[in-house]
Amino acid sequence: MPPAPLLELRRLVKSYGGVRALRGVDFNLHAGEVHALLGENGAGKSTLIKTVTGAHAPSSGEIVIAGESVSGLTPTTARALGIACIYQQPALFPDLTVVENIALRLEAGATLRRLDWRARKVRAMELLARIGAAIAPDAEVRSLSMPEQQLVEIACALGAGARIVIMDEPTASLTQKEQHLLFAVVRELRGSGVGVIYISHRLEEIFALADRVTVLRDGESVGTHAVGDINEAGLIKLMVGREVAQIYPASESSAGEVVLSVREVGCRASGVHAVTFDVRAGEVFGLSGLVGAGRTELARVLFGLTPADTGEILLNGERVAISSPQNAVAHGIAYVPEDRRRHGVVLDLPIAHNMTMAIHPRIFPGAWLRFGAERSLALEFIRDLAVKCAGPDAPGGSLSGGNQQKVSLARWLATKPKLLILDEPTQGVDVGAKSEIHRIVRRLAKDGLAVILISSDLPEVIGMSDRIGVMGGGSLRAILPGKSDPHVVMAAALGTAEKGAA
Amino acid sequence: MSTDKPAWKARLLSHEMLLLYVLIAEWLFFYFTGTTTNRRGVIVGFGTIDRQFDILRHSCEIGLLALALTPVILTAGIDLSVGSLLGLCAILFGKFWHDAGLSIPVAAVLAIGCGAIGGAINAALITTLRLPPLIVTLGTYSLFRGLAEAITHGAVTYTDFPESFLFLGQERWLGLPTQAWLFLLVAVAVWLLVHRTTFGRSFRTIGFSPGGARYAGLPVNRRLALVYVLAGIISALAAIIYTARLGQAKADAGTGYELFAITAVVLGGTSIFGGSGSVHGTLLGVAAIAVLKNGLACLPVVMRMNAAEEMSGLLTGALLLLALTGSVLPKILSTLRPRRQPA
């Protein structure tokens, strides 16, 4: 008989009010295993983690840790049982050093006691060495990169004797190189007998790293497979419950009049210089490039957040000066920003308020609020974009990432824009919502909207765009036709094509 | 969690309703303990109509400042300068009337204009230099008071205002203290602004998420400027009724009022971090403090000790802390509750 699993969840149910977030999930994790957890946003992954880490108590079901049933789990007891969670955004104190942060996590006991700085430092260095992290123990956490901070978190978890490490989308903000570093650490953990629950939206990571994968859908486990027994298509099918026949909807629109014309536009403050391109009605103009290429910066220039100081911008053939976001909105430019939670949606305000935020003058003539009109507009968009929510009065923060993105999108569609700029619209969004967003974008283009699509997801930007602008170093390096070879796009982004042409 | 709770139940437990219960309890307590009959058999103390009107009359200035501060605090800002601006506008009003020989209405309009300029100075420093409101208004708090004292050399007091003007501060009109009508008018106007217009919506949005407001194309700086200029204007109005009530304009008018006003706003449920809150909550906060202060002065035991001021300070503080605790308590309880049930 094999040893009892490190962690076993039996018929785990969690309800919030009337909503059942988990409907009887079975899950187990063995020592020395990386078990990936996959599912659309809202499928119940976060809830599952919260119950395992003791943040929320399950409504029914059983949590069994190393063969023993545990009830009344709290964050403190969970930690004592060796459960640690590494979040996407490390929760360290930025102004303290690495040693201090590790010490804060690990040292319990009396308030008044002598601090042994030498021992603290030795232990921190040991822990960092164990995961092969070359981080100066005296560095302030503020000065560390995101992956380095994650490594410090992992060191803390190890120091606390964690046997079960949960990683919640740890690579979301990492570069390729940083990812490999993290993967090495995860394999290291696995080798030392730790069980890792690994949550990610990136399928290729799961195939590279995990031993088994469990897919959650609508609060239920729809299957656990050994990674070798399943392929990407199979996983996507499990997640969305249907075959995704064609990942990217075909372009049905034909480009019309030129809506936006950008001529030698630059902005010293944000490092954008001499950008020239046109976008036509009905066209999806993709913007590709590596992180830091200046795509978001260009969008911010076009939206008036950092106004252009050189060149000219023409809208429908007329020269316009876009000096502020209000100005941009007045000209029919809409911008769905990259940072949903900070800029896209005001999390504390109801969905309805969020959706009407950019059309105050139009829906509320004379500045008087009209609650009825607002509500019906919100209901219309909730239906139209299939926003999953409790209703128009639910706060934006209560929605999953994909649904927040739809609210952000609805706000801008309500302005009836001529030009829609989408900045990473599907980042951190699950597969189902992603393809919904793709279909919406296609539909908008078909209706004659000019769309600029900024995306770091290469297949997405290639599959969705009619033309692709490739940026690098703040300028536009190339404009390629849609459905270009990914290698060509990547080469342009890296600047190798330029050299080849010269 | 709270979504399946019936709406009426949530409403009865809202911060404003809880504060209303406290206010009623407070009022009843003072009604029964602070009302006595004197030797000639006349009812005196808290339970008289005159005393109630007195409370109302004395609440108007701090009440106006609290109304001025509610939109400011909703934007996650603060204005510490309102009390000092009250003093400066009172002095300017007296000077316009007494020294410049202008009529009372003209002097009043000019004083209100000066209040607007005072608010605009705050607004300009906050929006263009992007300095924190706390620091900016801490500066103008000293600046405005200093100006008032410089104008009067710390000695001049303007008095001998005409009867017709004192009517505003000392008499009754249509049954209520005259200035209460002005207070009521401003209260209704600010309530409509905050709760029924896009301006109020913008204040909240900025309070919750300044970045979100900017990315939504809301005119963040213009809205911020509006709340500070409005605060200046309302402070000047408070200065005028202050002068009318006391019959004199002096440089120390309204000293310390800003703290009472902030207390009333926060007691009324407006989050000091911005975003959430209400004007009716502020009014209840003002009333709770005013009733406490006046009720204590009527309590025999407090009268014997001659400690009404000290006691009211103490209890206002206690009430504020209690209200803040009360507003977070349901949240704490709701996180504890599920854990008590065995899984």
Side-chain angles (χ1 to χ4, degrees):
Chain A
M1 200 184 120
L6 260 184
L7 170 74
E8 196 176 359
L9 307 179
R10 293 184 190 146
R11 313 294 317 148
L12 201 68
V13 174
K14 173 69 191 173
S15 310
Y16 296 103
V19 185
R20 292 180 85 195
L22 293 177
R23 315 161 172 253
V25 172
D26 291 314
F27 179 86
N28 60 60
L29 175 72
H30 293 282
E33 173 190 49
V34 177
H35 194 150
L37 198 56
L38 196 61
E40 297 187 318
N41 286 338
K45 301 184 303 267
S46 316
T47 313
L48 192 129
I49 296 172
K50 281 176 188 156
T51 47
V52 172
T53 55
H56 289 186
S59 308
S60 71
E62 205 180 355
I63 299 175
V64 183
I65 293 170
E68 279 181 50
S69 176
V70 187
S71 69
L73 204 61
T74 66
T76 322
T77 53
R79 202 153 31 167
L81 286 164
I83 299 172
C85 187
I86 317 291
Y87 294 100
Q88 210 181 99
Q89 306 286 335
L92 299 168
F93 296 95
D95 294 306
L96 298 183
T97 65
V98 173
V99 172
E100 284 166 330
N101 266 289
I102 293 177
L104 268 174
R105 285 291 175 88
L106 302 185
E107 290 175 11
T111 317
L112 285 174
R113 72 203 135 88
R114 217 174 139 264
L115 294 180
D116 187 346
W117 283 97
R118 191 179 303 250
R120 275 185 164 187
K121 190 165 174 177
V122 166
R123 177 155 65 163
M125 285 166 74
E126 268 172 20
L127 290 171
L128 291 170
R130 243 176 91 188
I131 53 172
I135 298 171
D138 292 322
E140 271 184 25
V141 164
R142 178 181 299 287
S143 68
L144 301 183
S145 69
M146 196 61 87
E148 285 175 329
Q149 293 190 27
Q150 283 175 340
L151 292 179
V152 174
E153 285 264 8
I154 295 170
C156 288
L158 280 180
R163 292 176 296 168
I164 300 166
V165 174
I166 303 167
M167 306 182 95
D168 189 0
E169 291 202 52
T171 55
S173 48
L174 303 194
T175 65
Q176 204 87 26
K177 200 177 147 205
E178 293 166 343
Q179 272 178 38
H180 287 304
L181 197 79
L182 185 79
F183 286 2
V185 173
V186 173
R187 292 193 182 104
E188 193 81 32
L189 287 176
R190 171 168 58 191
S192 64
V194 172
V196 178
I197 300 178
Y198 191 89
I199 295 166
S200 177
H201 280 312
R202 300 187 186 172
L203 299 182
E204 64 273 20
E205 284 180 8
I206 288 170
F207 286 104
L209 201 57
D211 302 302
R212 286 191 298 160
V213 53
T214 292
V215 179
L216 289 183
R217 188 170 76 220
D218 300 327
E220 283 173 284
S221 167
V222 290
T224 299
H225 296 268
V227 163
D229 297 345
I230 193 160
N231 60 12
E232 276 198 28
L235 279 179
I236 291 173
K237 189 179 165 188
L238 278 177
M239 282 170 76
V240 297
R242 56 189 183 275
E243 290 269 15
V244 182
Q246 190 184 2
I247 301 177
Y248 299 100
S251 172
E252 299 170 34
S253 48
S254 51
E257 294 291 303
V258 172
V259 173
L260 173 79
S261 204
V262 177
R263 297 272 163 268
E264 294 290 319
V265 159
C267 171
R268 195 182 297 269
S270 60
V272 172
H273 55 92
V275 171
T276 301
F277 66 95
D278 292 336
V279 187
R280 292 170 177 276
E283 180 183 42
V284 177
F285 185 79
L287 271 184
S288 183
L290 303 170
V291 171
R295 296 165 300 165
T296 294
E297 288 75 8
L298 176 61
R300 288 170 51 89
V301 167
L302 295 177
F303 194 62
L305 284 158
T306 47
D309 42 30
T310 55
E312 52 184 49
I313 299 170
L314 291 91
L315 267 175
N316 288 346
E318 269 180 57
R319 196 180 162 173
V320 290
I322 300 164
S323 56
S324 68
Q326 293 100 284
N327 212 266
V329 175
H331 281 115
I333 299 175
Y335 176 47
V336 176
E338 183 181 12
D339 192 336
R340 220 166 27 228
R341 300 175 65 80
R342 267 178 63 213
H343 303 139
V345 177
V346 179
L347 301 174
D348 297 285
L349 285 177
I351 294 167
H353 295 198
N354 269 296
M355 284 180 174
T356 57
M357 203 171 277
I359 52 166
H360 279 178
R362 210 183 68 224
I363 191 165
F364 304 130
W368 294 105
L369 298 177
R370 289 160 65 225
F371 295 107
E374 176 170 64
R375 197 181 164 80
S376 54
L377 180 123
L379 284 171
E380 199 177 304
F381 274 111
I382 287 170
R383 201 183 48 229
D384 207 33
L385 303 182
V387 181
K388 271 189 224 158
C389 64
D393 298 323
S398 67
L399 303 182
S400 67
N403 285 302
Q404 282 178 8
Q405 191 66 284
K406 287 181 189 173
V407 171
S408 179
L409 190 60
R411 172 194 295 172
W412 291 107
L413 295 182
T415 65
K416 302 205 170 76
K418 294 176 209 152
L419 172 70
L420 176 66
I421 307 169
L422 299 167
D423 197 346
E424 303 286 0
T426 60
Q427 197 170 63
V429 163
D430 59 77
V431 176
K434 192 169 170 175
S435 67
E436 274 181 76
I437 289 171
H438 289 155
R439 276 200 301 277
I440 294 167
V441 171
R442 267 289 154 233
R443 195 179 77 199
L444 293 171
K446 195 184 169 198
D447 293 344
L449 198 62
V451 179
I452 296 178
L453 173 70
I454 300 171
S455 175
S456 295
D457 184 340
L458 204 53
E460 173 179 83
V461 81
I462 291 169
M464 285 296 296
S465 308
D466 297 307
R467 285 186 304 145
I468 304 158
V470 185
M471 288 191 76
S475 58
L476 198 59
R477 289 207 166 131
I479 297 179
L480 304 169
K483 314 278 183 283
S484 289
D485 188 315
H487 298 98
V488 177
V489 177
M490 192 44 80
L494 290 164
T496 47
E498 217 169 28
K499 279 178 207 139
Chain B
M1 275 178 274
S2 60
T3 42
D4 56 339
K5 217 188 272 179
W8 61 266
K9 199 173 165 191
R11 214 168 292 153
L12 283 180
L13 287 173
S14 72
H15 184 96
E16 285 88 345
M17 288 308 285
L18 291 176
L19 188 56
L20 183 64
Y21 308 144
V22 170
L23 178 61
I24 292 169
E26 195 187 12
W27 193 89
L28 289 174
F29 173 77
F30 288 122
Y31 183 82
F32 288 113
T33 56
T35 314
T36 46
T37 317
N38 71 4
R39 263 171 258 124
R40 273 171 283 164
V42 182
I43 296 171
V44 292
F46 188 81
T48 62
I49 286 287
D50 280 348
R51 173 64 73 164
Q52 297 301 313
F53 280 152
D54 220 39
I55 295 176
L56 183 55
R57 194 186 293 285
H58 281 90
S59 312
C60 284
E61 291 121 35
I62 288 174
L64 281 174
L65 296 188
L67 286 173
L69 278 167
T70 306
V72 173
I73 296 178
L74 279 177
T75 64
I78 193 78
D79 189 345
L80 297 177
S81 72
V82 287
S84 300
L85 192 56
L86 190 160
L88 178 60
C89 289
I91 288 302
L92 289 171
F93 171 66
K95 203 169 175 60
F96 290 144
W97 171 72
H98 187 271
D99 296 352
L102 299 169
S103 71
I104 290 283
V106 173
V109 168
L110 283 179
I112 291 168
C114 291
I117 292 169
I121 292 171
N122 283 334
L125 291 170
I126 290 164
T127 58
T128 59
L129 300 185
R130 305 203 172 282
L131 294 171
L134 184 75
I135 302 305
V136 168
T137 61
L138 190 62
T140 51
Y141 161 84
S142 295
L143 177 77
F144 294 152
R145 186 68 72 192
L147 274 176
E149 289 184 344
I151 290 169
T152 57
H153 307 292
V156 183
T157 308
Y158 299 100
T159 50
D160 299 327
F161 287 97
E163 281 301 313
S164 56
F165 173 64
L166 298 180
F167 180 81
L168 173 66
Q170 300 172 357
E171 301 297 321
R172 288 190 201 158
W173 187 58
L174 298 178
L176 285 183
T178 319
Q179 65 266 58
W181 291 104
L182 186 73
F183 176 55
L184 209 66
L185 187 74
V186 174
V188 169
V190 173
W191 190 89
L192 287 173
L193 181 78
V194 167
H195 294 283
R196 285 292 178 269
T197 70
T198 56
F199 294 99
R201 184 67 69 77
S202 311
F203 303 158
R204 276 177 209 284
T205 309
I206 293 166
F208 278 132
S209 169
R214 192 162 132 79
Y215 273 78
L218 292 175
V220 175
N221 283 347
R222 286 218 302 272
R223 292 294 175 267
L224 284 178
L226 175 69
V227 295
Y228 288 98
V229 171
L230 196 66
I233 290 172
I234 298 176
S235 303
L237 275 177
I240 289 162
I241 64 169
Y242 181 95
T243 310
R245 178 167 64 84
L246 292 182
Q248 56 175 356
K250 46 186 183 140
D252 67 349
T255 304
Y257 276 24
E258 61 283 330
L259 294 183
F260 285 113
I262 293 168
T263 307
V265 174
V266 175
L267 187 60
T270 298
S271 164
I272 201 77
F273 304 111
S276 57
S278 69
V279 174
H280 38 281
T282 294
L283 295 177
L284 287 170
V286 171
I289 292 175
V291 167
L292 187 68
K293 204 169 161 183
N294 284 272
L296 280 172
C298 296
L299 282 187
V301 55
V302 177
M303 280 157 85
R304 266 200 304 282
M305 292 186 344
N306 194 20
E309 278 294 314
E310 291 82 352
M311 283 295 284
S312 78
L314 191 109
L315 285 177
T316 307
L319 190 62
L320 180 67
L321 295 179
L322 197 72
L324 291 177
T325 319
S327 67
V328 295
L329 212 59
K331 275 179 217 153
I332 296 170
L333 286 180
S334 72
T335 56
L336 287 179
R337 214 168 285 142
R339 215 163 280 153
R340 288 208 191 112
Q341 302 165 349

